[in-house]
Amino acid sequence: MAIDLVTRREWGARQPRGAYGRLGSTRGVKVHYTGGHVSPDIVGDHARCVALVRSIQNHHMDGNGWIDVGYSVLVCPHRKVFEGRGPNHLPAANGSGLNSGHYAVLGLVGSTGFTQPTDDVLHGILDAVEYLRDKGGAGDEIKGHRDGYSTDCPGGPLYAWVRRGAPRPGGGPTDPPEPHPSFPGRVLKYPPVMVGEDVRTWQRQMRRRGWDLDVDGLYGEASRDACRAFQREKGLSATGAVNRATWQATWEEPVT
Ligand SMILES: [Zn+2]
Ligand SMILES: [Zn+2]
């Protein structure tokens, strides 16, 4: 499906207050969310998307003092891609010093209300990425705002999707389902530090789910704490030890 672009004229964008910095190419894109409350009603009402994009531009220009909305493009739940600064222009949303490396792609997803990116949001983000590769020399990387910058953005669900390699929803021949590795047969726990490939496998899956955990094959304090928080989130007994039930939940439970 071709990209469904909403031009600046179509969404009633204000004129930028100055000239953009030029970008010949980038290493890729960084994915953002709006944070804050996004009403779930947005899903049934595209007019709300237009209003939200305009309010973000106002906030960036009048609140942050930027010359324009900070994002390269903004993606709504109707798989429409709003033109922000666009390709070949320096964004402002990645954080100081991080804007020339990546274009900034926003998904209209909040931290409360509408928090789970729908398939159309994910497709729209990938449509936008292809557009930025095509027109703006964007490289292969798809990262989250929080990669290299201290922020919750783009939120747990979007970040977990980024970590999984930002697959097209619905899969396909290029996106086979992750095989679910069987329980290694020993409980992973700390102390003392446990070492092994099974630890690494579990850590990698936790990272895919959006947990900030080193994949080092060492089950120490950080792994135990992440495990305990995960167990609490999933209503498992919070032992901080990866038993069979916790191992299976790490692959089978939906990411929230
Ligand atoms: Zn962000
Ligand atoms: Zn929309």
Side-chain angles (χ1 to χ4, degrees):
M1 181 172 146
I3 187 170
D4 188 356
L5 209 57
V6 182
T7 64
R8 292 178 66 95
R9 199 172 48 82
E10 284 168 337
W11 63 266
R14 290 160 64 183
Q15 290 298 310
R17 269 202 298 256
Y20 302 121
R22 299 286 306 175
L23 276 181
S25 64
T26 66
R27 295 208 299 279
V29 307
K30 285 199 171 161
V31 175
H32 298 254
Y33 77 157
T34 65
H37 185 74
V38 174
S39 167
D41 295 343
I42 196 173
V43 177
D45 185 3
H46 179 65
R48 284 175 182 266
C49 307
V50 178
L52 183 53
V53 167
R54 292 168 79 160
S55 80
I56 292 169
Q57 186 190 32
N58 287 338
H59 176 68
H60 284 182
M61 294 179 76
D62 304 332
N64 298 2
W66 295 346
I67 58 169
D68 189 9
V69 65
Y71 303 110
S72 307
V73 292
L74 306 88
V75 177
C76 83
H78 308 99
R79 198 172 170 174
K80 292 179 187 292
V81 179
F82 290 72
E83 271 186 316
R85 297 192 180 199
N88 297 117
H89 297 149
L90 190 70
N94 293 335
S96 173
L98 297 171
N99 289 307
S100 59
H102 297 84
Y103 290 113
V105 176
L106 175 86
L108 289 184
V109 172
S111 53
T112 63
F114 181 61
T115 57
Q116 290 289 334
T118 57
D119 284 0
D120 279 339
V121 170
L122 301 179
H123 277 302
I125 290 174
L126 291 170
D127 295 344
V129 168
E130 285 170 14
Y131 169 73
L132 292 167
R133 284 175 181 164
D134 240 34
K135 309 280 183 200
D140 288 341
E141 287 185 2
I142 300 180
K143 298 202 156 201
H145 187 190
R146 68 170 77 164
D147 291 315
Y149 189 83
S150 174
T151 172
D152 284 341
C153 182
L158 260 184
Y159 191 61
W161 173 73
V162 165
R163 276 275 163 207
R164 287 199 303 276
R168 280 274 177 197
T174 56
D175 180 33
E178 193 69 25
H180 177 335
S182 54
F183 181 61
R186 64 170 185 167
V187 175
L188 309 180
K189 57 183 196 291
Y190 167 84
V193 173
M194 281 176 75
V195 186
E197 228 13 72
D198 48 358
V199 174
R200 196 184 294 276
T201 301
W202 179 81
Q203 289 171 329
R204 194 178 298 120
Q205 178 63 10
M206 285 291 279
R207 255 199 104 94
R208 283 196 195 105
R209 297 183 67 99
W211 295 84
D212 182 18
L213 196 59
D214 287 337
V215 182
D216 56 9
L218 303 174
Y219 197 92
E221 210 173 327
S223 291
R224 182 199 59 192
D225 292 349
C227 173
R228 194 173 277 156
F230 172 72
Q231 287 170 325
R232 279 202 195 98
E233 183 186 296
K234 298 304 173 197
L236 297 159
S237 143
T239 58
V242 183
N243 60 6
R244 182 182 295 273
T246 299
W247 179 276
Q248 284 176 348
T250 311
W251 274 268
E252 290 169 5
E253 284 288 320
V255 175
T256 49

